[in-house]
Amino acid sequence: MAFGKMKKGLSKTRGGVFARMSRLFTAKRKIDEDLLEELEELLIAGDVGVDTTFYLLDRIRFRVKKERYENAEELDRLIRSEVSDLLLGEEIKQADSKPQVILVVGVNGTGKTTSIAKLATYYTNQGKKVLLAAADTFRAAAIEQLSIWGERIGCDVIKHQQNADPAAVVFDAVNAAQARGADYLIVDTAGRLHTKVNLMNELEKIKKIIQRQIPDAPHEVILVLDAGNGQNAVSQAREFIKSTDVNSIFLTKLDGTARGGVVLSIKRDLGVPVRYVGLGEKAEDMAVFDPAEFVEGLFANE
Amino acid sequence: MLEDLTQKLENAFKKLRGYGKLTEENIADSLKEIRRALLEADVNYKVVKDFIAAVQEKAVGEEVLRSVTPGQMIVKIVHDEMVRLLGISTMDIKTAGIPPTILMLCGLQGSGKTTFAGKLAKYLKKRGRKPMLVAADVYRPAAIEQLKVLGRSLDVPVYDEGVGDPVKIAFNAISAARQQFCDTIILDTAGRLHIDQEMMDELVRVKSRVRPHEILFVADGMTGQDAVNTASEFAGKLDFNGVVLTKMDGDARGGAALSIRAVTGKPIKFISIGEKMDELEQFHPDRIASRILGMGDVVTLVEKAQDGIDQAKAKKLEEKLKRAEFDLEDFLDQLQQIKKMGSLESLLKMIPGVGKQIKNAQVDERGLVRVEAIINSMTKEERLNPKILNGSRRKRIAMGSGTRVQDVNQLMSQFQQMKKMMKQMKGKSLKGFGGMPFGLA
C-alpha cells in the first residue's frame, strides 16, 4: 500500500502543516482550560462538529486527570491516540468467490466517478481484472465520463443508454463480471441527495438486484464524501446506511484546505470508517486512509 | 439536535421569568445555545464568534416586550442581525449596455456549476433573454458533453471548441454569440481548488480577456468550515460579484451562506434547489436566516399559502366555521387548496420543529388522493349532509372511488372529529384561521 502517500498529498498543499499544532503543544505550556479552548477551536474549524468535539475534550480532560499529564507536549500524543482510536475500522469482508462487488454511492458532486476511476486504477495496478458498471443513467454525460476513464485505465465498462433503468445496468454488469471472471465489479450510481426518498429506494433496489445473483454481495458499499462538507455529512451517511448498509467512506478533495473532520462524528455516531482518501484529479491521486496522518492534517495551520 | 431553537431557549429562560430586561448574565445560556446552533449549521467558527459578540452587544439592556418571552426576544435579535448581515435581497443579474452580457461561473469541483449554468440559461430565457452556454471546462472527462446535453434539452445554443484553451474559447464565444444573436453568454468553467495557483491564474486570464459583466461564485450549500477559505481565495483572485448556493434541497442548514457573506461581503444571488432545470430561486436573507437557526421557514410557508388560497373562498369558509357548518364540500375545497401549494412534504418541512420529525416518516401523498377520490364519489347531497351515509351508500362510494368501505368509514370518523373540534372552538377568535388550512388538517 502506498504508505506515506497521504501525507505527501496533504503536505503538498499545506505549507506549515504542523505549525499551529506545534505552537499549541510543544511550547512548554501547562495543560489548562485556555489550551483546551484553543483545541476546541481547532477541532471545530476542522468540521469535527460540536458534539464530537465536546466528547473528545471530555475524554482528554478525563485522561489528563487520571494519568496526570502536565505539559502540552504529552497532550499531543494523547490527542493523536484518542482520535486515531476513534477512526480505526475493521477489515472489509472478502467475497467467497469472484467477483468482489463494490457499490459506490453519494450525494451530487462529491466525486464518485473520479473516485471509481481511482479505485479501478488501484486494483488494476495490482494485476486485478476490474469491471465498471455505469449505473448513473441520470446525469447528462455521466456514462461518457465513466467510459473515458475506462478507456484510459484499460477496463471494460458495462453501460446502457441515458435514462435507462440503473437496476438493469447492474443486472447485466453482475452477469458480465461473473462470465468474464472479473476480480472486482465497481458500480457507479447517480448522485442523489439523501433526503430524496424515491431515489434512495432506487439504491435499495440496485442492492437487491446484486444480492439476487450474488447473495453475499455487495461486499463493500462506499459512501463518497466531499471533505468540504460540514455537519450535513452525518445526515448523508445516516440515510445512505439505511438504504445500502454503507461500510466504507471515500473522503475526496482532501488536497484542498478542507479537513473533513466530520468523518470523526460519522465514525463515532454511525460506526463507518474512512478507508480511502482522494488527493487530486488524476487516477493515481488516491491513498489508503491512515488515521495518524489524517490527525496531523486535521490540526493543520491555516 | 437543535431543530426548534426557540423552544430550547424558552427552556433556558424558564428560570428567568419575571426579568424585564436582558442582561449579560441572563442571556449567557441562550447565547451558548445559539453558538451551538450556528456551529451545527456549519457557520464558520470565527464568524460565529464575531456574530455572538455583536448579538450580545445588541441584546444587553434590551427591554423584553410584554407580549414575548425573553427566548423569543433574543431569537428575534439574532434573526434580525443575521438578516442584516446576509444583506439585501433579490439582487438581479446585470445587463450589459451593448450585448452580449457575459456571465462567468467559477467554483470548486462538484459544486454544481454545470447544472447551475443550465438553470441560469432557463431562468434568463424565461425572462426574454437569449442565452448561450459556453463550455470552457476542458479538463473533466465529458464535461463538454454534459453541457451540450443540457443545451439540447433547453433549446439553448452551446459553444465549444472541444479540448482547447479556455481563454481562447471564452473569447471566441463572444463573436459566436453575436453571430447567433444571443444577448447573454454563460461561461461554464472547470471546477478547481482555490489553492491551485495555475488553475486560478487561468481564471484570471479568462477574466481579463473577456471582461465578464458578472462573475458568480458557485458554492455547495453543504460546505462546512472551509467555506471561508475557498470563498475568500476566489474573491481575492477574481473579485466575483455574487454567490450561488447549490444543493439547498437537502437538509443542510446552509451556514456557508453566512460565512461566505461575512468574509467576502458579496451578495448571495441565487439558491439552487434540485436537479430539474427550473429549480432555481432568488435568495431571501430572512428565509435562510430562519433555516440556519433551525426555525423553519414560516415566511415561505405563509407566502405559499397566500399564493395558493382563494381569499374569497377562505372568507366564506371562515363564516361557515363560525357557525360550525363545515361540510365535506368545504373539506374537498381545503384539500385542493393545500395541493396547490406544493407537495405536502415540502410544506410540512417549513413548519418550525416539524422538519426533523418528519424526515424519516414518509408523508403519504397518495392518502390525500384517496380522500379526494372518496369525496368525489359522493353525491352533492351526501357531501352537504354526511349524516345520510348508510351502509349501502358507503359501499357504493367505496366501489366508485376504488377504495374499501373501511377507508370511507375512517374518513367519516376523522371528519366527525374535526367537526367536534370546531364546535369547541366556536366562539373563540377565528382570526387568521380561514386562511390557513393547516389549522384544519
Side-chain angles (χ1 to χ4, degrees):
Chain A
M1 299 213 163
F3 201 74
K5 190 169 184 178
M6 181 168 163
K7 191 176 194 167
K8 213 175 115 210
L10 293 175
S11 57
K12 184 172 64 185
T13 47
R14 288 173 183 166
V17 168
F18 310 108
R20 183 152 181 194
M21 179 106 164
S22 37
R23 199 171 65 226
L24 197 57
F25 297 128
T26 57
K28 288 273 172 237
R29 276 180 74 172
K30 279 231 150 56
I31 300 176
D32 54 13
E33 277 306 307
D34 275 355
L35 184 73
L36 290 176
E37 201 170 298
E38 272 183 55
L39 189 60
E40 179 191 311
E41 246 173 40
L42 270 176
L43 288 168
I44 284 175
D47 282 320
V48 172
V50 184
D51 279 338
T52 307
T53 298
F54 287 175
Y55 163 83
L56 281 171
L57 288 175
D58 282 348
R59 288 277 310 163
I60 288 165
R61 278 199 191 94
F62 173 74
R63 281 184 62 179
V64 164
K65 216 170 158 191
K66 194 175 143 215
E67 295 161 36
R68 296 178 184 284
Y69 288 105
E70 273 176 3
N71 65 42
E73 226 165 323
E74 292 169 309
L75 190 61
D76 184 12
R77 251 175 298 131
L78 183 60
I79 293 162
R80 276 165 212 263
S81 77
E82 279 296 330
V83 178
S84 302
D85 284 355
L86 190 58
L87 283 168
L88 279 182
E90 297 152 26
E91 288 283 303
I92 270 299
K93 67 174 172 186
Q94 291 299 314
D96 299 331
S97 59
K98 287 199 271 188
Q100 173 97 351
V101 181
I102 303 174
L103 181 63
V104 181
V105 299
V107 301
N108 319 63
T110 54
K112 277 178 298 305
T113 310
T114 310
S115 298
I116 287 168
K118 290 175 181 175
L119 284 169
T121 308
Y122 178 73
Y123 289 123
T124 307
N125 287 345
Q126 290 177 11
K128 306 284 187 199
K129 188 175 160 83
V130 180
L131 193 67
L132 304 177
D136 178 356
T137 56
F138 180 77
R139 184 169 59 94
I143 301 172
E144 282 86 343
Q145 192 182 347
L146 195 70
S147 304
I148 293 171
W149 278 120
E151 258 169 57
R152 285 189 198 167
I153 302 161
C155 53
D156 291 343
V157 180
I158 304 298
K159 57 191 170 191
H160 286 188
Q161 299 296 315
Q162 195 181 345
N163 298 325
D165 179 5
V169 180
V170 171
F171 180 84
D172 285 354
V174 174
N175 281 335
Q178 284 174 323
R180 300 179 197 181
D183 299 296
Y184 288 89
L185 170 64
I186 309 179
V187 181
D188 186 18
T189 62
R192 61 202 76 217
L193 283 184
H194 51 291
T195 48
K196 304 273 159 83
V197 177
N198 290 339
L199 293 175
M200 295 306 276
N201 289 343
E202 182 187 278
L203 277 185
E204 229 165 298
K205 183 177 165 194
I206 290 176
K207 195 184 80 182
K208 273 186 204 140
I209 293 286
I210 298 172
Q211 273 166 350
R212 205 183 296 156
Q213 287 157 287
I214 307 175
D216 63 331
H219 309 92
E220 185 170 9
V221 181
I222 301 177
L223 173 67
V224 179
L225 215 58
D226 186 330
N229 271 191
Q231 298 315 300
N232 189 252
V234 181
S235 169
Q236 291 171 30
R238 187 172 294 125
E239 296 306 315
F240 277 102
I241 289 169
K242 253 187 228 157
S243 61
T244 52
D245 302 317
V246 171
N247 54 12
S248 286
I249 286 171
F250 195 131
L251 191 61
T252 60
K253 307 181 197 176
L254 211 54
D255 49 333
T257 46
R259 306 193 187 143
V262 69
V263 295
L264 281 162
S265 295
I266 293 176
K267 180 65 181 22
R268 187 175 76 99
D269 296 350
L270 306 167
V272 181
V274 184
R275 290 188 211 278
Y276 320 94
V277 295
L279 299 159
E281 284 181 318
K282 286 197 284 301
E284 298 78 33
D285 295 335
M286 178 192 116
V288 172
F289 180 73
D290 176 8
E293 285 169 13
F294 179 77
V295 175
E296 283 172 7
L298 191 61
F299 291 103
N301 197 1
E302 281 184 18
Chain B
M1 291 246 259
L2 281 155
E3 200 47 46
D4 201 345
L5 184 67
T6 317
Q7 189 61 46
K8 278 228 164 173
L9 296 184
E10 301 282 291
N11 292 339
F13 266 117
K14 251 190 192 136
K15 48 182 187 255
L16 296 171
R17 285 264 158 77
Y19 282 95
K21 242 184 192 172
L22 299 174
T23 66
E24 219 163 293
E25 292 84 57
N26 65 21
I27 61 170
D29 272 354
S30 33
L31 285 179
K32 224 183 254 168
E33 286 294 335
I34 288 164
R35 173 172 182 263
R36 213 185 154 114
L38 294 174
L39 289 173
E40 298 275 9
D42 288 323
V43 182
N44 182 268
Y45 78 98
K46 280 184 193 148
V47 177
V48 172
K49 219 178 195 176
D50 297 345
F51 185 79
I52 292 290
V55 168
Q56 185 168 19
E57 198 179 308
K58 279 244 161 76
V60 170
E62 190 90 15
E63 303 272 339
V64 177
L65 299 172
R66 192 177 288 276
S67 52
V68 299
T69 63
Q72 287 168 334
M73 190 74 194
I74 199 153
V75 167
K76 181 167 184 326
I77 295 170
V78 170
H79 186 265
D80 289 352
E81 187 66 13
M82 208 180 266
V83 171
R84 199 183 57 78
L85 190 72
L86 284 168
I88 35 169
S89 64
T90 50
M91 299 277 291
D92 219 332
I93 294 288
K94 261 184 244 161
T95 322
I98 308 160
T101 306
I102 304 170
L103 309 174
M104 176 172 159
L105 311 182
C106 63
L108 297 176
Q109 292 97 337
S111 54
K113 283 175 299 303
T114 307
T115 305
F116 172 69
K119 288 182 179 185
L120 186 59
K122 176 145 193 192
Y123 176 90
L124 292 171
K125 213 176 152 192
K126 248 197 210 157
R127 280 154 186 75
R129 306 266 283 263
K130 203 161 175 283
M132 169 188 255
L133 291 162
V134 180
D137 179 357
V138 297
Y139 303 99
R140 184 165 60 94
I144 299 171
E145 187 56 33
Q146 187 183 352
L147 199 67
K148 277 188 187 163
V149 174
L150 283 177
R152 262 200 301 277
S153 72
L154 295 169
D155 196 21
V156 166
V158 177
Y159 181 79
D160 83 285
E161 296 180 4
V163 180
D165 174 17
V167 183
K168 266 193 201 141
I169 295 173
F171 185 72
N172 293 343
I174 301 175
S175 45
R178 288 209 178 105
Q179 269 166 17
Q180 297 186 43
F181 303 106
C182 292
D183 56 16
T184 312
I185 291 177
I186 301 170
L187 212 54
D188 180 31
T189 63
R192 62 202 73 213
L193 279 174
H194 51 295
I195 48 170
D196 189 333
Q197 286 312 329
E198 226 172 282
M199 290 292 282
M200 291 303 282
D201 287 346
E202 180 193 284
L203 283 183
V204 175
R205 285 206 309 280
V206 173
K207 182 185 173 183
S208 59
R209 190 86 172 95
V210 302
R211 305 215 164 271
H213 301 90
E214 189 141 349
I215 302 178
L216 294 171
F217 175 62
V218 182
D220 186 332
M222 296 183 281
T223 312
Q225 297 287 323
D226 199 44
V228 292
N229 296 332
T230 48
S232 55
E233 201 64 36
F234 270 93
K237 281 264 155 57
L238 288 170
D239 191 30
F240 56 76
N241 309 79
V243 180
V244 180
L245 281 183
T246 61
K247 306 181 205 171
M248 290 295 278
D249 45 334
D251 53 359
R253 295 265 198 79
L258 200 63
S259 306
I260 294 174
R261 171 74 203 196
V263 174
T264 65
K266 305 290 185 194
I268 295 157
K269 297 205 168 180
F270 290 102
I271 58 176
S272 179
I273 45 163
E275 286 193 82
K276 287 201 204 82
M277 281 298 123
D278 49 4
E279 290 172 316
L280 188 67
E281 276 180 8
Q282 281 199 325
F283 174 73
H284 296 282
D286 45 345
R287 299 177 193 179
I288 285 287
S290 301
R291 183 164 168 166
I292 292 173
L293 287 171
M295 291 175 14
D297 191 352
V298 183
V299 189
T300 308
L301 178 66
V302 172
E303 247 175 35
K304 285 216 173 180
Q306 280 166 347
D307 276 356
I309 283 162
D310 184 331
Q311 286 302 324
K313 272 189 183 170
K315 187 102 192 148
K316 220 172 89 191
L317 180 70
E318 200 177 318
E319 287 302 307
K320 279 194 154 185
L321 285 174
K322 273 188 188 152
R323 282 177 274 129
E325 279 175 7
F326 187 69
D327 58 40
L328 281 165
E329 192 90 313
D330 304 315
F331 190 54
L332 189 63
D333 256 5
Q334 286 284 305
L335 275 184
Q336 277 156 355
Q337 300 209 357
I338 291 172
K339 268 171 61 183
K340 265 196 271 175
M341 287 161 61
S343 84
L344 250 194
E345 201 182 338
S346 67
L347 290 176
L348 283 173
K349 275 200 184 131
M350 291 179 211
I351 303 172
V354 173
K356 209 86 202 179
Q357 283 163 29
I358 64 151
K359 215 183 80 197
N360 303 322
Q362 231 349 71
V363 180
D364 189 7
E365 305 266 346
R366 276 172 308 184
L368 275 189
V369 177
R370 207 177 302 137
V371 169
E372 217 184 320
I374 291 173
I375 300 179
N376 275 331
S377 295
M378 296 177 183
T379 63
K380 181 125 196 176
E381 197 192 351
E382 286 165 345
R383 286 185 218 169
L384 294 177
N385 187 14
K387 268 185 216 139
I388 62 169
L389 286 175
N390 56 20
S392 80
R393 280 178 192 265
R394 286 179 193 222
K395 207 164 155 191
R396 190 205 77 240
I397 291 165
M399 297 261 280
S401 58
T403 55
R404 298 165 307 168
V405 178
Q406 292 100 294
D407 296 328
V408 181
N409 290 341
Q410 202 190 349
L411 172 65
M412 290 320 296
S413 71
Q414 277 171 356
F415 177 71
Q416 290 306 338
Q417 263 176 0
M418 238 164 70
K419 257 189 114 164
K420 224 196 241 161
M421 241 169 57
M422 277 173 206
K423 262 191 196 135
Q424 285 167 354
M425 289 205 285
K426 200 179 163 190
K428 285 184 190 157
S429 165
L430 282 168
K431 210 171 164 238
F433 193 67
M436 286 298 296
F438 275 99
L440 308 174

